[in-house]
Amino acid sequence: SIKMDLLHSNGVLIIQHLQRDYRAYQDFLNFMSHVGDPRNIFSIYFPLWFQLNQVVGTKMIWVAVIGDWFNLIFKWILFGHRPYWWVQETMIYPNQSSPCLEQFPITCETGPGSPSGHAMGSSCVWYVMVTAALSYTVRWKDKSAVTLHRLTWSFLWSIFWIIQISVCISRVFIATHFPHQVILGVFAGILVAEAFEHTPAIQTASFRMYIKTNLFLFIFALGFYLVLKLLDIDLLWSVPKAKKWCANPDWINIDTTPFAGLVRNLGALFGLGLGINSEMFITSCKGKNSCRISFRILCIAASLATLQLYNFVKIPTHTEYLFYVLSFCKSAAMPLTVVALVPYCVHSLMRTTEKKLN
């Protein structure tokens, strides 16, 4: 406990230093915090990659979902505090002279702080993207190509670490994580992504396998929560702390609670399984149009545009269980739209156009 308090107090000093000396970069750091948001995986990265390479897109969803599930379990095990409430409750500062940490609209996360979900989600999905891009260049055999591959390798991994460091600094800057929490998140995300580099079975998984995986993840998480609750251990201990110490009650969002993330991820995995095993996907993405660049570009543009419309769908938060149900449905609709609905509509449009021209 003393060692952890010392680690936290040193983290507070780092946060104070960042908030004092990096004020000019506030907008950039807030932007990088949004870049690391795991929800961007489903609304931006996945639509782009799935239409370019279905194997990579499928792997990305699996890595994001399983990674975020492990993040939830780790959070429940580690009981990590967040800086913005820890400085208000710790007794290590004399005469109650606790440091003043500035808060922002995205500071008031309600779940436990360790490991960082943003850092973990960002590292795992960018690891998938970098390794996928490098898999194209590793096949080059001649000397000039090998040199180009090495340069590409250095460039992409440099970009990877620049993004991860920026996301980590941003999460520390807004006082929602301690430095050790974001570092743990980055390396945990890399481990999850690397594990899926050696798990080809997800590419041929049936819809039944998706259902079984969803049920296992849900039952394990819920069972873990209920067992500890019977032992009088409240895994939602962080929610009242967030509500108590957040500078602005309007910044508290139910979407950041532990179960909200679980439901969102289970919905995304369900939607992916439903889409990949649908007739619409087989007809459009497995047909002759799937090889056309024009088909893929249209699918990317239409998918990104359609998914942005989902941002305007506001789920009511007055009833918690209704919020979870609607959040599951919304999350399932997003990969289903990318995988099946949009490609099928584009395929039908192209086929109709070809018939008219003939």
Side-chain angles (χ1 to χ4, degrees):
S1 177
I2 296 176
K3 289 182 179 179
M4 187 57 67
D5 282 342
L6 182 62
L7 190 63
H8 286 162
S9 62
N10 288 334
V12 168
L13 292 176
I14 294 173
I15 295 170
Q16 288 181 303
H17 171 72
L18 289 174
Q19 291 188 343
R20 182 181 66 250
D21 296 345
Y22 286 76
R23 177 67 53 199
Y25 305 102
Q26 177 178 327
D27 291 339
F28 171 74
L29 292 173
N30 284 334
F31 170 75
M32 289 308 301
S33 188
H34 285 293
V35 168
D37 193 331
R39 286 170 288 195
N40 290 332
I41 299 170
F42 308 116
S43 61
I44 299 176
Y45 304 137
F46 171 66
L48 284 170
W49 273 97
F50 187 83
Q51 305 304 346
L52 295 174
N53 188 316
Q54 293 168 10
V55 171
V56 178
T58 301
K59 185 194 299 181
M60 188 176 292
I61 291 291
W62 277 89
V63 166
V65 170
I66 301 301
D68 207 51
W69 183 82
F70 273 115
N71 182 262
L72 172 65
I73 301 301
F74 288 152
K75 283 180 184 293
W76 280 347
I77 293 174
L78 297 177
F79 284 80
H81 289 273
R82 293 185 185 271
Y84 76 92
W85 76 56
W86 181 83
V87 295
Q88 304 291 341
E89 298 186 341
T90 183
M91 304 298 293
I92 71 168
Y93 296 107
N95 302 322
Q96 313 225 324
S97 57
S98 59
C100 180
L101 299 183
E102 186 174 354
Q103 297 183 25
F104 304 87
I106 56 176
T107 295
C108 298
E109 299 271 354
T110 57
S114 186
S116 167
H118 281 65
M120 191 168 175
S122 176
S123 65
C124 72
V125 72
W126 278 94
Y127 188 93
V128 170
M129 290 192 288
V130 169
T131 53
L134 289 175
S135 66
Y136 290 103
T137 63
V138 75
R139 303 166 192 165
W140 301 339
K141 300 297 182 182
D142 57 89
K143 290 184 178 180
S144 60
V146 170
T147 303
L148 182 59
H149 167 71
R150 289 175 180 172
L151 290 173
T152 305
W153 187 94
S154 300
F155 173 75
L156 290 179
W157 284 117
S158 297
I159 294 296
F160 172 85
W161 284 111
I162 289 172
I163 290 174
Q164 303 321 311
I165 292 172
S166 298
V167 170
C168 289
I169 291 176
S170 72
R171 300 301 289 172
V172 175
F173 173 83
I174 64 174
T176 199
H177 284 295
F178 291 102
H180 69 277
Q181 295 173 345
V182 293
I183 293 172
L184 179 60
V186 168
F187 287 102
I190 291 174
L191 287 175
V192 171
E194 178 60 27
F196 275 89
E197 291 292 319
H198 311 283
T199 314
I202 59 174
Q203 302 298 335
T204 56
S206 63
F207 185 53
R208 179 175 293 184
M209 181 57 67
Y210 277 89
I211 295 294
K212 288 181 178 179
T213 304
N214 256 15
L215 288 174
F216 171 79
L217 297 178
F218 178 73
I219 292 172
F220 186 96
L222 182 61
F224 187 73
Y225 170 78
L226 293 176
V227 167
L228 290 186
K229 191 171 184 179
L230 289 174
L231 297 175
D232 203 26
I233 299 175
D234 183 15
L235 293 180
L236 299 181
W237 60 273
S238 59
V239 177
K241 288 183 181 293
K243 292 179 178 179
K244 180 179 180 180
W245 296 114
C246 184
N248 187 337
D250 293 335
W251 294 347
I252 295 290
N253 193 339
I254 190 175
D255 199 32
T256 65
T257 58
F259 277 112
L262 176 65
V263 169
R264 183 171 59 247
N265 287 300
L266 294 181
L269 191 62
F270 177 83
L272 176 66
L274 185 62
I276 283 182
N277 292 279
S278 67
E279 286 297 325
M280 286 189 292
F281 171 76
I282 296 172
T283 301
S284 55
C285 295
K286 295 295 183 181
K288 62 178 183 179
N289 278 334
S290 61
C291 298
R292 296 182 179 179
I293 299 298
S294 58
F295 173 78
R296 296 188 179 187
I297 292 176
L298 284 172
C299 285
I300 291 173
S303 296
L304 290 173
T306 304
L307 291 185
Q308 297 314 307
L309 298 177
Y310 284 100
N311 294 330
F312 295 101
V313 179
K314 300 301 180 183
I315 300 176
T317 58
H318 58 275
T319 305
E320 190 171 359
Y321 293 111
L322 177 62
F323 171 83
Y324 290 144
V325 172
L326 294 179
S327 180
F328 179 90
C329 295
K330 179 181 176 180
S331 299
M334 295 176 74
L336 181 62
T337 298
V338 174
V339 172
L341 296 178
V342 166
Y344 185 77
C345 291
V346 173
H347 168 77
S348 300
L349 180 63
M350 293 180 69
R351 188 174 59 179
T352 302
T353 304
E354 288 175 356
K355 286 182 179 179
K356 287 181 179 180
L357 292 175
N358 293 332

